[in-house]
Amino acid sequence: MAETASHSWTCPACGRRVPLHAEACHCGMTRERARQLTTAAPVAARPARPPRPGARAEAMAAMTGDVKALLVAGALVMVAGLGWLVFGPSRPLSMPRVLGWVDQGAPPAPKPTPPPRPPFKLPWWK
């Protein structure tokens, strides 16, 4: 990453960005000492650390019983769901027979109901 020297400098001890008006970092490193360290040994790219061999065992030991039970139950639900998707019913349950089956077509339209008639003649004052 390119360093912008116009506003801040990077502390080599803690990696914090320090404004130029500050002569020392919060960790105690001065700007002059940081300049000497960076010119003496250029910063090499740090290789990525592989995960520790016992990290999984430590994580499992740190979990409580209820968290372990939830993980096991979630795994079982996922396996059951995937099994149902793969081996479950692959065709519709109500499938009409091919031979002798005749399509009935659309149902008949309902008869229109006549408008309701009032029990007396309107307007009643005439």
Side-chain angles (χ1 to χ4, degrees):
M1 185 166 123
E3 186 173 331
T4 58
S6 62
H7 298 293
S8 62
W9 56 277
T10 303
C11 176
C14 64
R16 196 178 277 165
R17 306 281 296 173
V18 184
L20 284 178
H21 62 81
E23 289 298 319
C25 179
H26 288 284
C27 67
M29 177 72 68
T30 62
R31 187 175 2 161
E32 187 60 38
R33 178 74 178 137
R35 188 175 300 134
Q36 290 172 359
L37 287 175
T38 54
T39 56
V43 178
R46 216 168 107 185
R49 292 188 324 189
R52 292 179 297 146
R56 182 177 292 196
E58 288 176 16
M60 289 299 288
M63 284 187 214
T64 59
D66 56 345
V67 174
K68 290 178 185 177
L70 283 173
L71 285 174
V72 169
L76 287 175
V77 166
M78 285 181 54
V79 167
L82 286 174
W84 183 79
L85 283 174
V86 172
F87 301 112
S90 60
R91 58 190 166 147
L93 297 177
S94 62
M95 188 172 193
R97 298 181 185 197
V98 176
L99 296 176
W101 184 75
V102 178
D103 187 14
Q104 300 296 326
K111 294 181 182 178
T113 57
R117 297 185 65 173
F120 49 89
K121 184 179 174 185
L122 287 178
W124 53 269
W125 61 86
K126 288 187 177 181

